[in-house]
Amino acid sequence: MSAPAGWAPPASSRRLPAVAPAALLVGATALLLVAGAVWPAWRTVAWWLLPLLGLGAVLHARTLRRRALDERREWRTKIDDAGLSLAQWVPGESVSMSPGWQSRLGPLDPADPLAWLAQVHAVDRMKLEERLPALLQGGATTADAHGPEGRDALAGEATPDPEPDSLHHALRLPDEDGGWVWHELRLRVARRDPRGRARQVLASLQDIQWRRTAEERQRMSSGLFQHLHEGLAITDLDHRLLDANPAYWALMAALLEPPAGLVIENGDPTPHTADALRRQMLGHPALPMDEAQLRRAGHDPEAIAEALADPAGHWQGLVKVRAAGGQPRTLRLTVSSIPEPEGPPRYRVLALSDLTQELQRQQALERLGRFDLLTGLPNEQEFLRRLQAALQTSRQVGPGFMLCVARVDLDGFAAFNRRHGVARADQAMQELARRLTLALRQAPQWSDEVARLGGDEFGLLLRVQSVEEAQQALDRLVQVLRRPIDPDDESGAVGPGSAGTATDAEGHAVDAKDALGGALRLSASVGATLYPQDGGEAETLMRHAAHALYRVKRNGRDGVQFFDVEKRRSREAQAQAALRVQQALEAGELCLYYQPKLDLVSGALLGAEALLRWRHPQRGLLAPATFLPTVEHSGMAAQLGHWVLEQALEQARLWRAQGLDLELSVNISPRHLAAPAFVPRLEALLARHPDVPPERIVLELLESSALDDVAHARRLLTDCKRLGLRLAMDDFGTGYATLSVLKQLPLDQLKIDRSFVQTMLVDAQDHALVQGVIALAGQFGCELVAEGVESPAHAQALIDLGCHVGQGSGLCEPLPPQALLDWALRRTPPPSPARPRAPLPDVLPHIAPGVPTQAIP
C-alpha cells in the first residue's frame, strides 16, 4: 500500500487553532464598544457579554484542537497499519518523523538528515547517492512506481519523472534476523529556496517485501511458462485454447507444418507459421483435445470429462497422431484443473510432450537387450520368449505339429578365433548367422526361428510333423554350416570343395586349408528335443537339448542327437521309486522274513537267511525283486543294507534270549560293501549286540562285489573275518568270477544258485554244473548250500551229489520272526537215515503246517 504522490502531513492552520478565540474576542469587543458608544444602553450588556464570548471562543478552540489531535492519531494509526513510515526535515534546522520511521531507521539528525542511508544495502545506497544531490540541489530524477517504469525503479533504475521534485526508489534494509527486506522510498521536495535548493523534504518508507516476492514468483512462473520445453496451454472448461507457451506452438508447428502437416477432419492442412497458428487455434479446441482425435487415440471423452469434474481433477494418457506424410507421433497429454479461490474451476492447463523419439530410443534399447549385437539374431532371452509363445500356441491349437528345440555348437570355432583374430571370427559368425537365417523354412502362419545363445552356440526352433522330418531338417542345417568360409574374403563366400581335414590343438576336426591359414570348414554338434513328446516348459526343453548336445560332444562331436525322453522318464521313475522306498523305510513298512536252512539228510534246522519284504499299503507284501533293483542304483543302498544288518542282529539277540540259536545269513549288496565306512559301521553294530556271537553271522556276497577290485574286496573281507564273521558267495555260478579270484577270497560257504538247482533234474548241463560246483567247494574247503530246493526229488539228487544243506520253498517258505520261532520250537527232527542215498520221506513233512509252498511273487 503506497501513499499518494502528493500526500503531506496536515496543514499548519489546523495545528494553531488557539488564534481563533483571540480574533473573535477582539472583534466582539470592538463591536460591543462601538455599540456602547452609539447606544449607551448596550454598555452594560457589553460588559457581561465580553467574558462569555471569550469563554466560548476558548472552548471552541479546544474542541477544534482535540479533533485535530484525534485525526492525527487516526492518520498515524492508519499509516502504521499500512506499514508506512514518514519523515520530514528542513535541512540544517528541524526534523520530524513517525514512530515507524524511528523504529526502522532510528531518529533523524537535523545536521545530517541523510545519515540513515548508511543502513541501506550498498548497491541501493550507491544509486541513491548518485541521484539525491540533484534532487536536493535542484532538479531530480525519479522512477515512477506505476506501470513498467515503476517495476524498473523497483529494480534500482531511475527514469525522468514529470514531477521534478519527487524520487521513487526500491531499496533493501536489514531485518532483525540479519537478512534484507525490500522497501519503497518516496522523497518529495515540498519547498525550495530562491536558488532551488530543498528547504522542506517529505519522505515515506513502505515495506514491499511481499510485493517483491509476488513479482519474483510471477517472473519465475512466466519464465517457466515461456521457457519450459514441455508444451503448456491454458484452456477453458470446453478445452478452447486461450493461451500457450512457445514450446506448445513449436510442437504444433512441427506437427502441422508441411510436409508433416497434421490431417484435420476435413483433410486440409492448417497454416504453419506462428501467427497463423495462433489465429487459427486460439478460441478453438486445443489439439489434441478435440473429441474426434481423442476417440481415434482410443480414449473416451466422457471418461476424461468425468475425471476432470473434480476441482482437483487430473487426467493423463498417450495420444497417437498421424502426420500428413504418414509419420506417426506419440504425445503424452496431461490435463489438470486450475483451482479457484472461490467457486468451481474456470480454466484448465494442458501439458503436451512429444514422446516419439523417447519411445524410439526405448525400443532401440529394448532391442539391444533382446537381440545379439553382432549377428542381429535374437539372444537367448528373446529365444526363450518366442519358445514360450510357440508352446502356448501349440497347446491352444492342439496336435498337428511338433516343435523341435535344438542347440547348435560350432566345433573348433574357438581355435579359429585364436588363429585369425576377433575381427575375422566375428565376420565368420555373421556369415554363419546369415546362412542359418536363409536356410530356415517359412509358412504363412509360422516360421522357424534361429537365435544366437552366446559364444559359438545357436538355438533353433523348428516346426515339424515327425521325428524323421526333424532329423532331416537338422542334417540340412548342419550341411549349411559345413560349407567352408574364407577368412580373407569379406563376403565370406568361397568356392566349393575342400582340401582335406586336419586336427587342431584341441582335437577338433577343421578344414586342412584352415590349418594352413586358408578357408575354414567347421563341423557342428547338435542336441535337440521334441515337443510334445518331451512335455516340459521352455527352460526344461532347453536344458534337455543341452543334455543331448553334451552327449554328442562326449561321443566325438560332429553329429545330431535327440534327447532320450523314455530314458529320462525311466530315470525319473527310478528316482520316484527310490524315494518311495525311503519313505517306506521311515514309515516302518519294511521288515525282514527268514527262510530256514535245513540239513537235507537229518532235517535239522541249521540256520536262516534274512530276506527283505515290504508291507505295501496298497499292493500287500512285496518281495525284494520288485524294489531292490531301484534302490541298488540309488544312493540309499548302503543305508538300507545297514538297516537290514541292524534288524538281523537284533532279531538274533531276541531268538537267543528265547532259546533259539541259529546261524543267520544276511545279504550284502555291492554298493553296500563299497561304502566308505562299511567295516567301521559293521564293527559298531557288533559292539552294540555283544550277546550275538559274530561267528553265527554269515555275510552273503555276490560275485560282482569282487570283480571290480579284487585286492580291495580281499582287504574288506579280511577285515570282516577279523571281526569273527563268516563269509559266503551267493548265487555262485551266475557271475564271471574266475577260479583265481575265488582262490584269493577268504570264503566259508558257496551257495549254488537256484536257477541251476531247479532245472538240474531235467537239464543235463545244469546237473553237471551243480556237480562241478559241489566238487569245487570241496577242493576249496568251503561249506555248500543249495538254493531253490522245491521237491523231495531235488533234495535226494543233491544228497546223491554230496550237498547236504539246502533251502527253498519245497522245504519252508520265508517266515516272519515269530512264525519261524514257533515252527522251530514245535518240530522234532527225525533220526538220520541209515544210508546217505535213502529217500527222504521224513524231511519234507517237517515243513510248518499251513505254510504255503508257492514262492512269494
Side-chain angles (χ1 to χ4, degrees), residues 165-339:
D165 294 333
S166 63
L167 174 64
H168 298 172
H169 197 85
L171 51 83
R172 282 162 287 183
L173 295 174
D175 61 3
E176 297 177 354
D177 299 328
W180 296 96
V181 180
W182 281 98
H183 290 74
E184 182 182 12
L185 174 66
R186 292 174 177 268
L187 295 177
R188 184 172 182 274
V189 178
R191 189 175 72 241
R192 294 182 182 275
D193 60 12
R195 295 183 180 182
R197 290 177 298 184
R199 293 300 302 160
Q200 183 181 12
V201 180
L202 302 178
S204 66
L205 192 66
Q206 185 177 15
D207 186 345
I208 59 168
Q209 182 64 39
W210 62 272
R211 190 199 309 172
R212 292 286 300 189
T213 303
E215 290 177 351
E216 287 179 3
R217 289 180 179 176
Q218 183 178 3
R219 285 196 300 273
M220 287 189 294
S221 300
S222 177
L224 181 66
F225 184 78
Q226 294 295 326
H227 301 291
L228 190 67
H229 292 293
E230 187 177 27
L232 295 177
I234 305 299
T235 69
D236 59 11
L237 298 183
D238 295 326
H239 305 299
R240 288 189 294 265
L241 184 62
L242 303 179
D243 194 9
N245 69 341
Y248 180 86
W249 296 119
L251 181 59
M252 291 296 104
L255 291 175
L256 305 176
E257 186 178 24
L262 191 68
V263 176
I264 311 303
E265 291 302 314
N266 57 12
D268 298 329
T270 61
H272 60 281
T273 62
D275 294 338
L277 278 175
R278 290 185 176 89
R279 290 193 301 269
Q280 179 73 19
M281 299 181 64
L282 287 176
H284 295 279
L287 293 177
M289 287 301 297
D290 58 295
E291 184 174 340
Q293 184 67 55
L294 290 174
R295 292 191 183 277
R296 282 198 301 271
H299 300 296
D300 184 7
E302 288 76 12
I304 297 176
E306 183 178 354
L308 296 175
D310 188 84
H314 174 84
W315 180 86
Q316 186 178 69
L318 296 181
V319 178
K320 293 185 178 181
V321 297
R322 181 177 59 85
Q327 180 183 6
R329 292 289 189 95
T330 302
L331 306 178
R332 180 174 60 198
L333 177 62
T334 304
V335 184
S336 304
S337 298
I338 302 177

Side-chain angles (χ1 to χ4, degrees), residues 448-689:
D448 293 337
E449 304 281 355
V450 61
R452 187 186 181 194
L453 304 183
D456 56 358
E457 189 174 354
F458 293 93
L460 295 173
L461 176 59
L462 311 177
R463 274 77 169 177
V464 295
Q465 298 291 334
S466 62
V467 178
E468 292 75 14
E469 182 182 351
Q471 182 73 47
Q472 293 175 1
L474 293 177
D475 290 340
R476 180 175 59 86
L477 292 174
V478 169
Q479 293 301 323
V480 169
L481 294 175
R482 285 176 176 170
R483 297 206 316 259
I485 300 175
D486 188 353
D488 296 323
D489 185 1
E490 294 185 358
S491 66
V494 298
S498 171
T501 60
T503 304
D504 64 6
E506 298 180 355
H508 304 152
V510 298
D511 189 82
K513 275 188 75 179
D514 177 59
L516 300 176
L520 167 70
R521 180 185 292 274
L522 291 172
S523 62
S525 301
V526 182
T529 187
L530 291 172
Y531 177 87
Q533 285 84 345
D534 186 359
E537 297 296 330
E539 293 81 2
T540 304
L541 295 176
M542 292 292 288
R543 186 171 63 252
H544 291 171
H547 292 170
L549 176 61
Y550 173 75
R551 289 199 300 270
V552 175
K553 292 182 176 181
R554 188 178 58 184
N555 295 332
R557 303 174 181 265
D558 193 16
V560 178
Q561 188 165 344
F562 285 88
F563 181 73
D564 193 339
V565 179
E566 294 301 327
K567 188 175 182 179
R568 175 183 64 86
R569 291 173 180 169
S570 176
R571 288 197 302 268
E572 291 179 352
Q574 291 179 358
Q576 289 293 330
L579 177 62
R580 183 64 186 90
V581 174
Q582 178 71 36
Q583 294 172 348
L585 178 62
E586 295 172 355
E589 298 175 2
L590 300 182
C591 62
L592 294 183
Y593 274 48
Y594 299 88
Q595 188 173 40
K597 291 189 289 186
L598 303 178
D599 188 323
L600 298 179
V601 178
S602 64
L605 178 60
L606 304 178
E609 180 181 0
L611 301 174
L612 187 62
R613 294 291 185 268
W614 183 359
R615 293 191 183 97
H616 199 281
Q618 288 82 32
R619 300 169 60 186
L621 190 65
L622 300 181
T626 59
F627 60 89
L628 273 186
T630 300
V631 175
E632 182 63 25
H633 292 87
S634 70
M636 67 170 300
Q639 177 187 0
L640 185 59
H642 187 74
W643 179 85
V644 170
L645 272 173
E646 187 173 12
Q647 295 296 313
L649 287 171
E650 179 64 20
Q651 188 58 54
R653 184 190 66 80
L654 293 175
W655 277 340
R656 288 179 64 84
Q658 295 169 342
L660 181 61
D661 184 14
L662 296 178
E663 182 184 75
L664 193 57
S665 298
V666 181
N667 292 281
I668 304 298
S669 68
R671 280 184 176 267
H672 186 197
L673 183 65
F678 175 75
V679 174
R681 296 188 67 180
L682 180 59
E683 186 175 5
L685 276 178
L686 293 174
R688 289 201 299 270
H689 298 82

Side-chain angles (χ1 to χ4, degrees), residues 424-438:
R424 291 183 177 178
D426 289 347
Q427 176 186 336
M429 184 63 68
Q430 291 172 341
E431 170 62 18
L432 294 173
R434 185 187 66 83
R435 291 182 185 180
L436 285 175
T437 303
L438 295 177

